[in-house]
Amino acid sequence: MPAAAPDPAAAILARARRIVIKIGSALLIDSATRSADLAWAQTFAHDAARLRAGGATLLIVSSGAVALGRSRLRLPPTRSLTLDEKQAAAAAGQSVLMRVWEDAFAPHATPLAQILLTRDDTEVRRRWLNARSTVETVLRLGAVPIINENDTVATEELRYGDNDRLAARVAQLAGADLLVLLSDVDGLYTADPRRNPDAAHIPHVAAITPAIEAMAGGANLSGGVGTGGMASKIAAARIAHGAGCTTLIAAGRVADSTGPLAAIEAGARATRIDAHATPAAAYKQWIAGHLAPAGTLRLDAGACAALARGNSLLPAGVRGVTGAFGSGDIVRLEDPSGHEIARGVIAYDALEARAIAGLQSDAIEATLGYPGRATLVHRDDLVLTQALHQPAATGAT
C-alpha cells in the first residue's frame, strides 16, 4: 500500500492549538514610505482573532522596531547602521511598533503584551524558566504576546541574528505545535524563483538534509528592510523540528488582500517541514538524555508514589539535597534507597532547595524571605527514568 500523502498546510494550521507566527519587517513596513503598513496589520489581526476564536493560542514574533525607529530618528534609509545606531533605533521604534499592533487588534478587543528577549533568555536555563513563566502567565490571562528581540541592549555576541531563529526558540520555549514563518515568498523552491523561472515549489520537507539547506542558499530575498532569508528560515525550522514543532513557510502578502492565514486555510501554497515527535516528547527526551545532572534530591516513599501518578515534586517530599546547582539545572531524583527514579528541571538553586526541603509549600515564603514556586520540580519539567510502584502518600502534587 502506498504511503499516505502528507497533510496539506491548511490541515496543519486547522489542527494546531499553540501557534507561533513570525512577521518580518518586509511585511509590516511599507518599503516606499518606511512607515508601518497598518492596513496589512489590520488584515493579519482579523486573521489572528478568528484563529483565537476557534480555540488556538497565538504568540506573535514581530520585527519592525529598528525599521520604524530608523525612520523616526531620521537615520539614512540606505546605509548600514552601527550597533549604537541600531540600538537607538530599536529604542525609538518599540513604542511605535506596539502602537501599530494595538491599533490593529483594537477592533477585536484583544489585549496584547510586549515581551522583549535576548538570546540568554532562551539559552540560560534559569532565564529560560523565567521567560517561560512570563509567557505562560500572559497566555493564561488571555493576552497575545508580541515578542521581539531586545535590540536596545543586545550586543552582536548576544543576538539571535534574525527573528526567524528567535521565533523558533519561542516555539521551543512555549511548547508550540506549529511555527508559521510568513515571508515574501510562498515557501521553499529548488532554486531562487526570482532568478530561475524553472524553480519548482517544494510543498513538503520530511527532513532537513544538506540538499534542502543548499536549496535555501543564504540570500535575503526581500531586498528591503528585512534581515532574514530562506537560509535563516530553514535554520529556524531545524530548531523547531528538534523541539517537536512543525514549521510552515508561507507568503505573508496575498494578491487579493486576503489575510495570510486565511489564504493558507483556503489552500494557498506553503512549505511544510515536519516535526520530530511532539513538543512535550522532545522536551522530555532532552531532560532524560542529559549526561551530567548538576545535583541530586533524595525523596521519601510518598513523593516517589506521587511522581508515579504524574504529579509534581513538592519540598515536603525531599529528605536530602546534594550538589551545587542553580535554578533551571537538571537534577537526579532518587528513591529512599538511592536509586535514580527521575530527572527534572529544578526551580530553585541548591541553597534554596536545602532550606525548604521537607517543608510544606506554604512555608516557602517565610523560610526564604520571598514568595517562590510551590513546586521544586514541576511535572511538565520532569521525566521518570524507571517504572515506579509505591503506596500512595503525600509529598508531591
Side-chain angles (χ1 to χ4, degrees):
M1 180 180 294
D7 289 342
I12 297 296
L13 182 60
R15 209 164 47 230
R17 294 298 82 194
R18 179 165 288 196
I19 309 169
V20 173
I21 305 169
K22 183 265 180 176
I23 297 166
S25 297
L27 296 175
L28 191 62
I29 308 300
D30 186 305
S31 60
T33 65
R34 299 281 167 169
S35 60
D37 187 341
L38 183 58
W40 186 91
Q42 290 171 331
T43 299
F44 172 82
H46 179 76
D47 256 4
R50 184 171 40 76
L51 285 183
R52 292 184 80 233
T57 298
L58 302 186
L59 301 90
I60 298 171
V61 175
S62 175
S63 303
V66 173
L68 291 170
R70 182 175 192 150
S71 177
R72 194 178 201 185
L73 297 178
R74 297 184 175 86
L75 291 166
T78 55
R79 72 166 172 83
S80 298
L81 299 180
T82 66
L83 177 60
D84 289 347
E85 288 173 330
K86 189 179 295 184
Q87 290 174 326
Q94 287 292 354
S95 60
V96 183
L97 178 65
M98 283 306 297
R99 187 163 64 246
V100 170
W101 286 122
E102 291 284 359
D103 290 346
F105 277 93
H108 309 285
T110 302
L112 306 179
Q114 184 182 45
I115 299 177
L116 301 177
L117 300 174
T118 63
R119 194 176 68 190
D120 279 354
D121 292 318
T122 56
E123 303 295 324
V124 176
R125 296 303 296 177
R126 182 181 186 119
R127 294 177 65 166
W128 184 93
L129 282 176
N130 290 335
R132 187 184 66 170
S133 178
T134 298
V135 167
E136 290 295 339
T137 302
V138 165
L139 295 174
R140 177 172 55 81
L141 295 175
V144 172
I146 304 294
I147 302 170
N148 198 357
E149 183 161 14
N150 194 350
D151 290 306
T152 301
V153 299
T155 63
E156 291 298 335
E157 293 79 13
L158 296 177
R159 299 187 72 247
Y160 291 96
D162 58 71
N163 273 359
D164 293 321
R165 290 178 179 85
L166 169 60
R169 290 300 187 194
V170 169
Q172 184 180 47
L173 178 145
D177 50 348
L178 180 62
L179 169 64
V180 179
L181 301 175
L182 294 180
S183 176
D184 53 349
V185 291
D186 56 5
L188 179 65
Y189 283 75
T190 54
D192 186 342
R194 301 179 185 185
R195 299 172 183 169
N196 185 345
D198 296 325
H201 182 266
I202 301 173
H204 176 232
V205 175
I208 300 174
T209 63
I212 292 295
E213 292 175 326
M215 289 176 194
N220 173 13
L221 296 181
S222 70
V225 295
T227 60
M230 190 56 65
S232 73
K233 289 171 177 56
I234 295 302
R238 181 182 288 281
I239 295 170
H241 168 86
C245 180
T246 299
T247 300
L248 293 181
I249 303 173
R253 290 187 181 273
V254 184
D256 61 0
S257 299
T258 300
L261 304 177
I264 295 172
E265 292 172 316
R269 285 203 304 197
T271 294
R272 165 198 169 187
I273 301 173
D274 287 344
H276 173 69
T278 65
Y283 180 49
K284 299 278 187 172
Q285 186 179 53
W286 175 82
I287 294 173
H290 207 75
L291 295 178
T296 300
L297 305 185
R298 182 70 61 86
L299 312 185
D300 64 20
C304 293
L307 296 188
R309 297 194 299 271
N311 297 329
S312 301
L313 176 65
L314 300 180
V318 177
R319 293 295 172 260
V321 177
T322 58
F325 51 83
S327 170
D329 283 343
I330 304 294
V331 296
R332 288 163 42 97
L333 305 181
E334 294 181 345
D335 67 15
S337 300
H339 299 111
E340 179 181 319
I341 58 171
R343 293 185 179 192
V345 179
I346 192 161
Y348 290 91
D349 65 30
L351 291 177
E352 294 167 328
R354 289 188 183 95
I356 62 177
L359 300 181
Q360 297 298 318
S361 296
D362 57 11
I364 292 175
E365 182 172 0
T367 303
L368 298 181
Y370 48 86
R373 294 183 174 91
T375 59
L376 273 172
V377 180
H378 192 275
R379 61 190 174 195
D380 291 344
D381 301 321
L382 183 149
V383 58
L384 299 180
T385 53
Q386 72 172 43
L388 300 177
H389 302 285
Q390 299 284 349
T394 59
T397 187

